[in-house]
Amino acid sequence: MSVCGEAVGAGSLPSELVVHIFSFLAGPDRLRASAACSHWRECLFYPALWPRLRLSLRVSPAERPRLEFLMRKCGWFVRELRVQFAADNYPSGGGGSGAAAAAGGEVGAAAAAAAGDGEAPPPLCPRWLDLLRTYLELVLCVLSSVRNNRNLQKLSLFGDISILQQHGSISNTYLGKVDPDGKKIKQIQQLFEEILGNSRQLKWLSCGFMLQIVTPTSLSSLSNPIANTMEHLSLLDNHIPGNTTLITAVELERFVNLRSLALDFCDFTAEMARVLADSNHVPLHRLSLLVHSVSIMHKSLDSMPEDENWKALTRNSTNLRVYIMAFDVKSDDMLRILKPSIPLERIHFDSYITCVSGAVVDLISRQYDKFLTHFILMNDVIDMSGFPDLSDNRNEDPLVLLAWRCTRLSLLAVHGYTVWAHNLIAIARLRGSDLKVLEVTEESIDFDQGELADQDVDPVHNLIEQVSLGLGRPWHAVMDIELLSVFTEPTRHFYREMQSFSEGI
């Protein structure tokens, strides 16, 4: 094409027009289009095209060059940054598959915690050392790139690498080899505080399971104007030693505009509930709480909100909804935690050592029938006698009662607990099409002797048919558990759901 005798090509288009064209393209298409010429490549990283950056990083040395390039280009102006650090395969001292190593690591960590500080940590694994070393380098790369970004409005960091090192001595053992003088950890903590101190527009701060990035003094770096306008705060970290907490009730008083909050349950005290219930604070809409056996072991439930505190909080925050995830928490502790006035909308149990009792499920169905929408029950306890049966010695199955009482229940997922086929059919019929998600692993389903003895009916085919009819849509049991992050990656699932739960105000 020619205009006035001059050749006009893609490289001659004004930068503003190229950027406008890029704005209509998805990320991968934008990258391919930028290969057209050097001029288009220069337009690729125009700030208006990158208001948000969401990265899922493998903890691998191969990731670093690409990360450094992207952060160098976008880190100084991006408004929303979400980074997830994840190891592809968790190494363990004895080798084995990634999933097995992950489960083994978590069980081992909890077992070490249960045994007390006197028990020796497991032998050092060279692959773990390499993983941690790479992890620290990637975190440093991300934080150093945004340290002076004054446009940052949302910062979200998640590192599921740390969940396998729940006992402090194990973390310190590995970190002592990778970072013997603690310089990298101190640098990471300092960079994080600089980001907070330099922020001018930050409204969303979320940090989950990042290895020793947040300290009890981190939030003091936020100026009062920024703390006053913060809308979401998430601080989840089970590596804080002793009774140390990441935020106190006094510190929380600055966050008067907070609409959603996520904390370790042991850190959410009665005094915090009173602060949030004060008329000076805007109503809280979302509260996500992580209840962890290791946290309970090192801290105490004595300071948790009592029922009157929850009542006061819900009077000021009438639309408040609560999301709880419980890792290996004893049923006796859960019965203490589950106060009647909690507006509990979602609860997720994950067990590697302890099991949830039918009494806990029954209490949930009775107390939270007006609020509960999501119920997840996960158990990886290996027992020769089989999966625990919640309906044992009961006239009615607790899960059936849950489906009957909780009229807003829209998601039910079960793995590692016996679910009788006739009870599963009853659940489908009770909830019908309102139960949007029903995920039960095939190995969790059992049939009574009468169903198995009937030669004229295939029990499995009959189950699928009856549940499908009850739900009003095709249904099948979960055949491959590896496909569902809710079962295989509970921490990542909780963090992702917490983010969407908090944003859905």
Side-chain angles (χ1 to χ4, degrees), residues 228-245:
N228 292 163
T229 57
M230 188 79 71
E231 296 178 358
H232 171 83
L233 181 62
S234 172
L235 299 175
L236 299 167
D237 190 345
N238 40 321
H239 286 81
I240 302 300
N243 294 322
T244 308
T245 59

Side-chain angles (χ1 to χ4, degrees), residues 136-148:
L136 295 178
E137 293 297 331
L138 295 180
V139 174
L140 282 169
C141 175
V142 170
L143 297 184
S144 59
S145 300
V146 297
R147 65 194 300 180
N148 295 316

Side-chain angles (χ1 to χ4, degrees), residues 274-450:
R274 283 192 287 270
V275 168
L276 294 170
D278 192 279
S279 59
N280 292 331
H281 284 253
V282 301
L284 190 69
H285 289 261
R286 297 290 186 267
L287 177 60
S288 301
L289 298 170
L290 177 69
V291 190
H292 203 293
S293 59
V294 176
S295 182
I296 293 175
M297 191 175 304
H298 290 294
K299 298 179 183 179
S300 171
L301 293 175
D302 294 340
S303 299
M304 69 179 178
E306 297 298 332
D307 202 51
E308 57 268 22
N309 302 123
W310 286 106
K311 287 179 180 178
L313 180 55
T314 53
R315 278 196 298 269
N316 184 58
S317 304
T318 55
N319 293 320
L320 176 64
R321 295 296 178 265
V322 176
Y323 179 15
I324 292 179
M325 181 165 190
F327 276 104
D328 267 324
V329 181
K330 297 177 182 178
S331 291
D332 289 346
D333 287 329
M334 285 307 305
L335 292 172
R336 289 181 60 196
I337 288 167
L338 296 172
K339 305 299 182 184
S341 297
I342 299 176
L344 184 66
E345 182 177 288
R346 306 182 183 195
I347 190 161
H348 182 166
F349 291 100
D350 191 86
S351 304
Y352 288 86
I353 298 176
T354 62
C355 293
V356 175
S357 68
V360 170
V361 179
D362 186 60
L363 179 70
I364 290 170
S365 69
R366 285 188 285 107
Q367 291 188 165
Y368 312 117
D369 55 302
K370 293 181 177 64
F371 301 106
L372 194 71
T373 62
H374 292 55
F375 187 84
I376 298 173
L377 201 55
M378 162 75 180
N379 170 41
D380 260 359
V381 177
I382 300 175
D383 192 335
M384 296 301 293
S385 61
F387 291 145
D389 184 0
L390 296 174
S391 62
D392 190 31
N393 298 322
R394 288 172 175 265
N395 293 327
E396 297 291 343
D397 180 76
L399 291 176
V400 175
L401 291 175
L402 185 86
W404 174 53
R405 291 168 175 158
C406 300
T407 55
R408 297 185 62 213
L409 188 69
S410 62
L411 183 149
L412 177 63
V414 182
H415 166 68
Y417 290 84
T418 298
V419 181
W420 293 96
H422 59 274
N423 287 330
L424 192 55
I425 294 171
I427 290 170
R429 290 174 177 173
L430 283 166
R431 300 301 318 128
S433 59
D434 291 335
L435 190 59
K436 305 300 182 185
V437 177
L438 177 59
E439 293 177 344
V440 182
T441 54
E442 183 187 36
E443 57 191 311
S444 301
I445 301 172
D446 207 346
F447 299 86
D448 60 33
Q449 293 302 314

Side-chain angles (χ1 to χ4, degrees), residues 144-215:
S144 59
S145 300
V146 297
R147 65 194 300 180
N148 295 316
N149 184 343
R150 293 173 182 260
N151 297 317
L152 199 61
Q153 296 177 1
K154 287 188 174 184
L155 177 61
S156 175
L157 302 171
F158 170 77
D160 67 348
I161 183 175
S162 68
I163 195 64
L164 301 185
Q165 295 183 304
Q166 295 162 10
H167 194 224
S169 63
I170 298 177
S171 293
N172 293 335
T173 299
Y174 281 106
L175 282 174
K177 292 291 184 180
V178 172
D179 187 26
D181 51 6
K183 284 186 177 179
K184 288 185 178 179
I185 289 294
K186 291 176 183 176
Q187 187 179 357
I188 286 172
Q189 293 171 349
Q190 183 178 352
L191 283 170
F192 185 70
E193 291 182 3
E194 284 185 33
I195 293 170
L196 300 187
N198 291 331
S199 64
R200 294 296 180 269
Q201 302 183 48
L202 194 64
K203 294 184 181 299
W204 178 290
L205 177 61
S206 184
C207 190
F209 311 109
M210 296 291 293
L211 191 59
Q212 297 190 18
I213 186 172
V214 187
T215 70

Side-chain angles (χ1 to χ4, degrees), residues 445-500:
I445 301 172
D446 207 346
F447 299 86
D448 60 33
Q449 293 302 314
E451 292 171 304
L452 296 175
D454 189 348
Q455 299 296 319
D456 297 329
V457 178
D458 178 359
V460 176
H461 177 76
N462 181 65
L463 172 68
I464 293 172
E465 182 180 42
Q466 293 301 317
V467 172
S468 298
L469 284 172
L471 297 175
R473 64 179 185 273
W475 177 88
H476 290 278
V478 177
M479 306 291 288
D480 188 357
I481 192 175
E482 297 298 324
L483 298 177
L484 297 179
S485 65
V486 63
F487 294 136
T488 58
E489 301 167 343
T491 312
R492 194 182 305 187
H493 174 83
F494 168 68
Y495 190 77
R496 183 174 60 247
E497 289 297 300
M498 180 272 294
Q499 299 270 79
S500 62

